[in-house]
Amino acid sequence: MSAPTRRFEDAVTRYFEAWNAGPHALAKAVAAAWTNDGSYTDPLADVRGHEQIAAVIAAAHEQFPGFVFRLSGSVDGHHDTARFSWELVSEADGSAPVAGSDVVTLDGEGRIRAVFGFLDRVPAGA
Protein backbone atom coordinates (compact mmCIF):
# COMPACT_ATOMS: atom_id res chain seq x y z
CA MET A 1 0.00 0.00 0.00
CA SER A 2 1.39 3.41 -0.93
CA ALA A 3 1.95 6.12 1.66
CA PRO A 4 -0.78 8.39 0.18
CA THR A 5 -3.27 5.52 0.17
CA ARG A 6 -2.44 4.67 3.79
CA ARG A 7 -2.86 8.34 4.74
CA PHE A 8 -6.39 8.41 3.31
CA GLU A 9 -7.35 5.06 4.81
CA ASP A 10 -5.98 6.05 8.23
CA ALA A 11 -7.97 9.29 8.15
CA VAL A 12 -11.15 7.44 7.20
CA THR A 13 -10.53 4.85 9.94
CA ARG A 14 -10.32 7.67 12.52
CA TYR A 15 -13.46 9.21 10.99
CA PHE A 16 -15.43 5.99 11.56
CA GLU A 17 -13.96 5.62 15.04
CA ALA A 18 -15.45 9.03 15.83
CA TRP A 19 -18.83 8.21 14.28
CA ASN A 20 -18.98 4.93 16.22
CA ALA A 21 -17.61 6.22 19.53
CA GLY A 22 -19.69 5.95 22.66
CA PRO A 23 -20.55 9.03 24.72
CA HIS A 24 -17.44 8.82 26.91
CA ALA A 25 -15.01 8.40 24.01
CA LEU A 26 -16.66 10.74 21.51
CA ALA A 27 -14.80 13.98 22.27
CA LYS A 28 -11.41 12.24 22.16
CA ALA A 29 -12.27 10.43 18.91
CA VAL A 30 -13.44 13.66 17.23
CA ALA A 31 -10.24 15.42 18.32
CA ALA A 32 -8.16 12.58 16.87
CA ALA A 33 -9.97 12.72 13.51
CA TRP A 34 -10.54 16.46 12.89
CA THR A 35 -8.40 19.58 13.05
CA ASN A 36 -9.43 22.06 15.78
CA ASP A 37 -11.34 24.19 13.28
CA GLY A 38 -12.53 21.23 11.20
CA SER A 39 -15.98 21.24 9.69
CA TYR A 40 -18.76 18.82 8.81
CA THR A 41 -21.40 19.64 6.18
CA ASP A 42 -24.19 17.43 4.87
CA PRO A 43 -27.82 18.10 3.87
CA LEU A 44 -28.85 18.14 7.56
CA ALA A 45 -25.90 19.87 9.25
CA ASP A 46 -23.26 22.54 8.73
CA VAL A 47 -21.01 22.73 11.77
CA ARG A 48 -17.45 23.68 12.71
CA GLY A 49 -15.25 22.69 15.63
CA HIS A 50 -14.97 19.59 17.76
CA GLU A 51 -17.90 20.36 20.05
CA GLN A 52 -20.39 20.93 17.23
CA ILE A 53 -19.16 17.90 15.26
CA ALA A 54 -19.54 15.73 18.38
CA ALA A 55 -23.08 17.06 18.83
CA VAL A 56 -24.02 16.02 15.27
CA ILE A 57 -22.60 12.54 15.87
CA ALA A 58 -24.42 12.22 19.21
CA ALA A 59 -27.69 13.25 17.53
CA ALA A 60 -27.24 10.52 14.90
CA HIS A 61 -26.75 7.95 17.68
CA GLU A 62 -29.92 9.18 19.39
CA GLN A 63 -31.90 8.90 16.16
CA PHE A 64 -30.49 5.46 15.28
CA PRO A 65 -29.68 3.58 18.52
CA GLY A 66 -28.04 0.21 17.95
CA PHE A 67 -26.59 1.21 14.57
CA VAL A 68 -22.95 1.61 13.48
CA PHE A 69 -21.36 3.40 10.56
CA ARG A 70 -19.36 1.19 8.20
CA LEU A 71 -17.25 1.80 5.14
CA SER A 72 -18.91 0.60 1.95
CA GLY A 73 -16.30 -0.06 -0.72
CA SER A 74 -12.85 1.44 -0.83
CA VAL A 75 -11.32 4.82 -0.10
CA ASP A 76 -10.15 6.81 -3.12
CA GLY A 77 -8.04 9.94 -2.93
CA HIS A 78 -5.53 12.32 -4.40
CA HIS A 79 -3.62 15.33 -3.10
CA ASP A 80 -5.34 16.22 0.19
CA THR A 81 -8.80 14.96 -0.77
CA ALA A 82 -10.42 11.56 -0.31
CA ARG A 83 -13.86 10.13 -1.04
CA PHE A 84 -15.66 7.07 0.25
CA SER A 85 -19.11 5.61 0.76
CA TRP A 86 -20.65 4.33 3.96
CA GLU A 87 -23.72 2.65 5.40
CA LEU A 88 -25.49 2.93 8.72
CA VAL A 89 -25.95 -0.70 9.76
CA SER A 90 -28.21 -2.22 12.42
CA GLU A 91 -26.25 -4.37 14.84
CA ALA A 92 -29.42 -6.39 15.47
CA ASP A 93 -30.35 -7.46 11.95
CA GLY A 94 -27.69 -6.12 9.57
CA SER A 95 -30.09 -3.85 7.70
CA ALA A 96 -28.66 -0.59 6.36
CA PRO A 97 -31.46 1.95 5.96
CA VAL A 98 -29.11 4.91 5.52
CA ALA A 99 -26.17 5.22 3.14
CA GLY A 100 -24.06 8.06 1.88
CA SER A 101 -20.87 9.26 0.28
CA ASP A 102 -18.41 11.69 1.81
CA VAL A 103 -15.55 13.79 0.52
CA VAL A 104 -12.93 14.87 3.04
CA THR A 105 -10.00 17.25 2.88
CA LEU A 106 -6.98 16.59 5.07
CA ASP A 107 -4.26 18.70 6.61
CA GLY A 108 -0.56 17.81 6.35
CA GLU A 109 -0.83 15.48 9.35
CA GLY A 110 -3.76 13.54 7.91
CA ARG A 111 -6.44 15.08 10.12
CA ILE A 112 -9.74 16.12 8.59
CA ARG A 113 -10.17 19.79 7.74
CA ALA A 114 -13.59 19.43 6.15
CA VAL A 115 -16.21 16.80 5.37
CA PHE A 116 -18.76 17.23 2.62
CA GLY A 117 -21.40 14.54 3.04
CA PHE A 118 -24.10 13.35 0.68
CA LEU A 119 -27.03 11.15 1.68
CA ASP A 120 -27.63 8.47 -0.94
CA ARG A 121 -30.33 6.48 0.88
CA VAL A 122 -32.55 7.72 3.69
CA PRO A 123 -35.69 6.03 5.08
CA ALA A 124 -38.98 7.87 4.83
CA GLY A 125 -39.60 10.00 7.89
CA ALA A 126 -35.97 10.06 9.01
Side-chain angles (χ1 to χ4, degrees):
M1 179 181 313
S2 70
T5 300
R6 177 162 308 277
R7 178 174 174 244
F8 298 132
E9 289 184 356
D10 289 349
V12 171
T13 295
R14 287 190 304 275
Y15 177 79
F16 283 109
E17 287 171 353
W19 276 97
N20 290 320
H24 300 294
L26 181 55
K28 184 176 180 179
V30 167
W34 272 269
T35 61
N36 290 335
D37 63 345
S39 64
Y40 177 85
T41 303
D42 72 13
L44 306 173
D46 186 10
V47 298
R48 179 173 299 280
H50 293 173
E51 190 173 302
Q52 290 182 0
I53 293 166
V56 166
I57 293 170
H61 285 270
E62 287 176 20
Q63 186 174 4
F64 293 97
F67 283 75
V68 294
F69 288 87
R70 293 199 183 135
L71 182 65
S72 174
S74 59
V75 178
D76 183 30
H78 61 82
H79 296 85
D80 290 328
T81 305
R83 66 179 177 172
F84 55 93
S85 295
W86 53 266
E87 292 181 319
L88 184 60
V89 180
S90 168
E91 293 181 297
D93 66 12
S95 64
V98 182
S101 299
D102 291 354
V103 175
V104 300
T105 59
L106 305 178
D107 72 0
E109 297 175 7
R111 290 174 64 208
I112 297 169
R113 285 187 191 154
V115 175
F116 303 96
F118 298 85
L119 299 173
D120 303 327
R121 181 174 64 239
V122 179

